[in-house]
Amino acid sequence: MDLSSQKTRYMDYVSADGDDSLHNDSGEENEGGSSESHQGIEESDSSEDEVAPRNTIGDVPLEWYKDEEHVGYDIAGKKIKKKVRQDKLDSFLASADDSKNWHKIYDEYNDEEVELTKRETRLIRRLLKGKAPHAEFDPYAPYVDWFKWDDAKHPLSNAPEPKRRFIPSKWESKKVVEYVRAIRKGLIKFDKPKEEPRLYLLWGDDSSSTEKAGHGLAYIPAPKSKLPGHDESYNPSLEYIPTQEEINSYQLMYEEDRPKFIPRRFLSLRSVPAYENAVKESFDRCLDLYLCPRARKKRINIDPESLKPKLPSRKDLKPYPVTCYLEYKGHKGAVMSISTEASGQWIASGSIDGSVRVWEVETGRCLRVWEVGEAVHYVAWNPLPGLHILAVSAGQDVLLLNTGLGNDEEQKNIEQLLRIETPGSMDDSGNTTSIVSWAQDDKHGGIRLKHFKTVSSVEWHRKGDYLSTVMPAGESRAILIHQLSKKITQRIPFKLHGLPVSSIFHPTRSIFFISTKKNVRVYDLLKQKLIKKLETGLREVSSIAVHPAGDNVIVGSREGKLCWFDMDLSSQPYRILKCHPKDITNVAFHHSYPLFATCSDDCTAYVFHGMVYSDLNQNPLIVPLEILRGHTSTNGRGVMDCKFHPRQPWLFTAGADSVIKLYCH
């Protein structure tokens, strides 16, 4: 509000009080005199004539400073105190004593009294009479016709002025009467001005308040303190009052764990003493409100089901083994290992009762039985279709048995391979070695490889000429590679780090996997160097299997965890599955179907869908499919081994209950 608006308010004040002093200033004012007086005054264009407003509060309502002792701030940031205002009696006495007091007006914005000049008083007089403020203004100046009449033959319109322009409109008067009657009857209601409440709740819920958001920022209410419960009552129930032993135990706790308030019981409210922590808690509360920044966080409503990975339906992933179709019974002890023949017609099994059996898959008929005499730990069928040789590890010996299957020509080749012409074995340096001795086994019609320690596992190379054996207690000679055609044995040219558990050949390349209790190392046999070290992070590795494509490996552990490794991705596990509550005894991949399985001592076998894509940007898809049950626990052991059928989506399981089961789709 500038000075001109203050003068306008002064004009309203003078007209309301009816002060006649404005109307007679030494006689009636005439137009000629005023015009002459204005002709002698020259208007100045200097900025010194204009008084700059000293507004110290900005463009805000003065009502905000109505109850304050100051009005704005100076350039140093200090408050500007208001001047002492005169009351009605003092102002009346001042007007009686001073004849020029009526020329003064109070400027609220600048907090000062301004005295009107004679020129400003003259302007106010003209405004009160309804005239123009300046006398030189002529309200009846001659009309300047804007239309050019040069060469005009006719006027714009020859029509006479209509009568309705000179008399009041009847339609407007009827409309006004209609509105007046509607207002009187209450048909038209005016909105009442909204009254702002002067009283409000000091500690109320102001979350919906919009007054404090006038500056444009979002207003966030302060968090409310915890409401008092039964403990804060002056007469709580007995179950809320701690005993002396509980109070003494509070002293042994950490300060952050100690209860903040210990309830007590009083007979009346008058006997309740003052709360000693009242000031401290109030101070902490005010300090939290002052120092804690509050920000509005948008809560995102997410359905928990949407966070689960979108797995395909199990119906779309068929076929996979579901039910038990056939049982192979004949062993008297726990079946430790099973192996399927390359064509899928036969299956071999080894048991701790010292027997090795060959079964026909579709009928369950036992074809042959070998009594080895020692507990059989592992059996492995030669992967070549025409080479029906079975490798059996029993104690410190590995037997290469002729199963007697195949035609006459295949049998001649097998008998020639299993015949030892020169005794002993030669290593790659040409010297006779004492690590393994090759001997003819006339009892079973095969070859006996005598090791110096117990052999735990035997694995064939994909070409059927090499096989590897693992002796966990063999130290630096724990893993050996044997060549059947030359009847020689050689150590691996790599240093073992830890106790070996198993070894396996790559399905397509000259790569060798060696798993210890903690890690899996991948070696290149041609270049004789380490390619990659797979860090499992498991307590103890129990088994390993390689995908037929060769780029993915699964590792089972003694703690029931399964690790899936994508060797192209990282040396860390791509997925870790906690599926079994007990030890995982073996893991297996299917040769043609996207399936893999695990078996455990909890008498179950889990079947998974494991799809590996040729696109390197697409991760493998792992979907749990089925839990196969049926075996019973014997001496704390469950399912000892599991193998897939080479052509059908079938799974063979060997249990400690001396039963072999076939699960079909």
Side-chain angles (χ1 to χ4, degrees), residues 53 59 63 102 136 205 230 257 262 267 304 350 468 474 501 504 543 547 591 614 649 657:
D59 190 12
E63 296 180 358
W102 64 274
E136 63 270 13
D205 186 9
H230 297 286
D257 299 335
I262 299 177
L267 298 178
S468 67
V501 175
I504 189 171
S543 56
H547 191 268
H591 290 291
S614 58
D657 53 357

Side-chain angles (χ1 to χ4, degrees), residues 81 176 249 256 295 428 537 565 581 604 624:
K81 298 293 184 179
V176 170
S249 65
E256 57 269 11
D428 49 2
F565 286 92
T604 61

Side-chain angles (χ1 to χ4, degrees), residues 331 334 336 349-356 370-379 392-399 441 443-444 448-451 453-455:
H331 288 286
M336 300 301 295
S349 63
S351 173
I352 61 174
D353 60 0
S355 65
V356 177
W370 291 275
E371 293 294 339
V372 180
E374 286 187 86
V376 178
H377 297 288
Y378 206 91
V379 294
V392 179
S393 69
Q396 297 183 1
D397 298 340
V398 174
L399 299 175
D441 190 0
K443 179 181 178 182
H444 302 100
R448 182 182 293 268
L449 303 178
K450 296 182 179 180
H451 296 69
K453 293 292 183 181
T454 302
V455 179

Side-chain angles (χ1 to χ4, degrees), residues 113-130:
E113 287 188 354
V114 180
E115 185 175 354
L116 300 178
T117 61
K118 290 184 178 181
R119 181 175 178 274
E120 292 170 347
T121 307
R122 195 175 297 111
L123 293 177
I124 294 174
R125 285 197 188 115
R126 292 184 61 84
L127 289 174
L128 288 175
K129 293 180 179 181

Side-chain angles (χ1 to χ4, degrees), residues 254-288:
Y254 291 104
E255 187 175 357
E256 57 269 11
D257 299 335
R258 200 176 300 162
K260 305 299 181 185
F261 181 80
I262 299 177
R264 297 168 58 188
R265 192 169 189 176
F266 301 95
L267 298 178
S268 62
L269 190 60
R270 291 178 295 175
S271 59
V272 178
Y275 184 45
E276 61 273 10
N277 295 329
V279 177
K280 181 179 181 300
E281 290 184 358
S282 299
F283 176 76
D284 292 342
R285 170 70 176 171
C286 295
L287 196 64
D288 291 342

Side-chain angles (χ1 to χ4, degrees), residues 500-520:
V501 175
S502 63
S503 63
I504 189 171
F505 291 95
H506 194 277
T508 57
R509 299 165 59 189
S510 60
I511 293 177
F512 194 55
F513 296 85
I514 299 176
S515 67
T516 60
K517 289 189 175 182
K518 297 294 183 182
N519 301 314
V520 177

Side-chain angles (χ1 to χ4, degrees), residues 42-52:
E42 295 182 359
E43 293 185 359
S44 175
D45 196 19
S46 175
S47 61
E48 296 178 356
D49 297 340
E50 299 180 1
V51 179

